[in-house]
């Protein structure tokens, strides 16, 4: 079995990408980096743990993608441009096949975003990956959760609910027979990144968050930080054709869209007068966005279906809720 | 059981320290930070995994200290000044007693270094902590592993070997009866930080590394990066009185000093002409440093005892070496 340092150098040190703001990368006690002037550095840390966020036998390429995608999503939600990533990876054994697949998924996404791996730590233990991503944003232009105003429109990117359907396929083999099961499983792992949209929303969106816990849970984070309420029109939720065929029930698909976590789509609020120009920009960039509701002064979340108020107690997934 | 977000906010969000370069801390998708101009940001990531780096039932206060101390040690080894830390923590359950102890050890050390926790991730899973620390260093003054020159003196801070003795006490209950067993166990977890020494060595030390894998292993990292050899005089290795009494054999204690990992002392090289001034500065700062050898042009490591060459095959601890 190769030694720890051999492993690291073999799989992680030979990446091609070399950013000019990385003065020193792997191989010393620290990386040395230089941030541009007049910018804020946006930093986020996320863990993917086998058994909690993915199954031990999951496709390692998808795991590599997902680990990074969930972190990049936090940068996107702030409107930041990805720059650097540190990786701590814990492995039960030095499984080279697994590492090869993992690196393929990881570096494909990293390279697409000019994101350089600047260092990390490889240890023996239960399978898990913790990434710390860093990106840049001009001072004063970060998209916060705290700026939503009464009357602002609520929008989301992409389609919602697919990730939850994919998770069901993973956890319940009987659902493998359903329409689009494989594709929904892939989507659970391989969310596309919304960095371009986040950067486009700088100075426009009054608030923004990425959908990691589920729309109903994440919109409440905006409500709390902005001290506002919200109403969501379930009939406007963007659903994929695959999800509707998988569930064979549009209302059930809407429930998926409300609670589906790990979507890594953006949920953001816009003042009414910016709606049209943002719609046009999104179209030019080929990014799908959908208006799904409004910010209110009620301090609570109300769900509507075709104008009818719904009683609902769906809540986002909470790792520590029993 | 409290929800994930309650846990995080209760134990991690209420820290007192507020640095002026942290524009936004916890509570959004990312932290927003501002680095000083003309400095490099030094970044290091380290994981502490239960069962690999500490036992599940270890004193949580010590675990909190050790998790941060091992990361700060990487900053110290570069001569960097600590600034920010992100924490990813994985817990099998929301054990509030454990979290309280952990936070006590963690924040005591963080606050002592003006190091602000800027965010993180709490997930359910096997117990483990991954920290990413960041610090500042004026451009061009970082202490690298790559600058050692033939003829430079090799020095270490503190005493070596105690951490390994402490580990033996932890793993072998029969050693609890030996002299100073409890104190050595504490030292294994509660290394003091060498930040002040690292900053003092800026522009002086030709190379530097922190002793995490063991002196013999870590000096070889300097040798490789600097393309030099080294000789170490085992009779000069700084040993604590407690270690000598614990082992009851000075030669055995020297073996501990050579291979003991997780010491978090600094090993550095100095051109001969700076030796005296650095010794005086260290004395003024009340930091113990000891000359233990020289850099050679041999490309190999030679060990001596009272001038006699030793045959030795000790190697640093490698997590993946079978």
């Amino acid at each position: 079995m190769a030694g720890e340092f051999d492993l690291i150098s073999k799989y992680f040190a030979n990446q091609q990408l070399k950013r000019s703001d990385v003065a020193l990368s792997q191989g010393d006690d620290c990386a040395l980096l230089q941030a541009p002037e007049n910018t804020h550095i946006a930093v986020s840390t996320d863990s993917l743990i086998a058994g909690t966020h993915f199954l031990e036998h999951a496709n390692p390429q998808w795991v590599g993608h997902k680990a990074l995608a969930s972190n990049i999503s936090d940068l996107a939600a702030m409107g930041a441009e990805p720059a650097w990533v540190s990786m701590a990876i814990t492995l039960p054994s030095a499984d080279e096949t697994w590492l090869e697949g993992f690196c393929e998924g990881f570096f494909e996404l990293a390279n697409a975003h000019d994101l350089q791996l600047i260092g990390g730590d490889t240890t023996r233990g239960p399978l898990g990956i913790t990434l710390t991503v860093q990106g840049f944003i001009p001072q004063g232009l970060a998209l916060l959760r705290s700026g939503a105003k009464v009357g602002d429109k609520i929008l989301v990117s992409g389609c919602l609910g697919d990730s939850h359907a994919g998770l069901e396929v993973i956890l319940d083999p009987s659902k493998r027979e359903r329409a689009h099961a494989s594709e929904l499983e892939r989507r659970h792992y391989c969310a596309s990144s919304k960095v371009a949209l986040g950067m486009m929303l700088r100075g426009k969106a009054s608030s923004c968050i990425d959908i990691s816990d589920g729309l109903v849970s994440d919109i409440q984070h905006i409500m709390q930080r902005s001290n506002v309420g919200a109403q969501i029109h379930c009939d406007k939720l963007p659903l994929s054709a695959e999800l509707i065929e998988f569930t064979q029930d549009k209302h059930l698909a809407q429930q998926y869209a409300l609670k589906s976590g790990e979507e890594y789509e953006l949920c953001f609020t816009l003042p009414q007068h910016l709606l049209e120009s943002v719609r046009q920009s999104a179209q030019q960039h080929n990014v799908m966005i959908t208006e799904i509701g409004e910010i209110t002064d009620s301090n609570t979340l109300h769900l509507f279906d075709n104008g009818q108020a719904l009683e609902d107690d769906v809540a986002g997934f909470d790792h520590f809720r029993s």
Side-chain angles (χ1 to χ4, degrees), chain A:
Chain A
M1 196 184 288
E4 175 184 14
F5 308 112
D6 302 339
L7 262 182
I8 295 172
S9 64
K10 186 167 172 193
Y11 288 99
F12 296 121
N14 290 330
Q15 56 164 337
Q16 297 304 307
L17 193 66
K18 304 276 175 218
R19 291 178 60 96
S20 62
D21 52 17
V22 177
L24 185 71
S25 180
Q26 295 156 73
D28 216 302
D29 292 295
C30 293
L32 293 176
L33 312 171
Q34 189 176 0
E37 287 181 24
N38 303 317
T39 62
H40 275 143
I41 307 168
V43 183
S44 178
T45 293
D46 260 316
S47 295
L48 242 73
I49 309 293
T52 301
H53 301 96
F54 64 94
L55 297 182
E56 199 112 7
H57 61 258
N59 179 336
Q61 202 173 333
W62 290 359
V63 173
H65 180 100
K66 186 177 164 133
L68 186 53
S70 68
N71 276 274
I72 289 180
S73 183
D74 286 316
L75 293 179
M78 300 296 277
E81 185 186 350
W84 311 313
V85 59
S86 309
M87 181 194 301
I89 187 162
T90 306
L91 299 163
S93 67
D95 179 341
E96 301 208 13
T97 310
W98 192 91
L99 271 170
E100 222 165 90
F102 178 86
C103 284
E104 201 173 320
F106 180 89
F107 283 115
E108 189 181 58
L109 186 59
N111 292 341
H113 287 287
D114 198 24
L115 183 63
Q116 185 172 342
L117 179 66
I118 54 157
D121 191 20
T122 309
T123 49
R124 186 191 286 281
L127 183 60
I129 307 109
T130 296
L131 300 179
T132 300
V133 288
Q134 308 205 55
F136 307 136
I137 184 153
Q139 286 180 27
L141 289 187
L143 308 177
L144 308 182
R145 298 178 180 179
S146 53
K149 298 274 182 300
V150 175
D152 285 355
K153 298 299 181 188
I154 302 170
L155 294 92
V156 292
S157 63
C159 288
L160 299 183
D162 290 359
S163 171
H164 186 75
L167 185 62
E168 286 195 338
V169 173
I170 293 162
L171 298 178
D172 179 356
S174 76
K175 294 191 172 156
R176 298 206 163 276
E177 303 306 316
R178 291 205 194 172
H180 309 294
S182 301
E183 171 59 13
L184 291 166
E185 181 184 2
R186 191 195 63 79
R187 288 183 193 173
H188 173 76
Y189 283 107
C190 301
S192 68
S193 145
K194 295 299 173 297
V195 167
L197 175 61
M199 289 172 70
M200 201 187 77
L201 293 174
R202 287 177 181 173
K204 290 173 187 159
S206 53
S207 73
C208 187
I209 193 169
D210 72 315
I211 301 179
S212 54
D213 296 320
L215 176 63
V216 162
S217 181
D218 290 316
I219 189 71
Q220 290 184 69
H221 291 307
I222 286 183
M223 289 163 52
Q224 284 157 13
R225 298 282 290 192
S226 298
N227 199 25
V228 294
Q231 53 190 30
I232 290 175
H233 304 285
C234 296
D235 49 296
K236 293 189 180 171
L237 290 170
L239 308 172
S240 72
E242 290 82 0
L243 179 64
I244 294 171
E245 288 184 42
F246 177 84
T247 57
Q248 298 193 307
D249 177 341
K250 201 174 171 186
H251 280 277
L252 182 58
Q254 286 171 2
Q255 291 292 316
Y256 279 43
L258 286 171
K259 72 177 177 183
S260 180
E262 302 173 84
E263 287 282 342
Y264 307 123
E265 298 292 345
L266 298 187
C267 173
F268 56 100
T269 59
L270 277 180
Q272 171 93 43
H273 71 276
L274 292 176
L275 203 56
E276 202 39 48
S277 72
V278 167
R279 263 204 194 114
Q280 283 173 13
S281 304
Q283 209 158 25
Q284 281 160 17
H285 286 79
N286 219 8
V287 179
M288 176 185 169
I289 59 172
T290 308
E291 187 189 329
I292 59 162
E294 301 83 32
I295 295 297
T296 67
D297 61 359
S298 71
N299 273 321
T300 50
L301 175 63
H302 292 287
L303 303 179
F304 291 86
D305 187 26
N306 290 307
Q308 296 287 311
L310 293 176
E311 295 280 336
D312 212 301
D313 63 349
V314 280
F317 179 71
D318 182 332
H319 293 293
F320 282 93
R321 198 154 277 161
S322 48

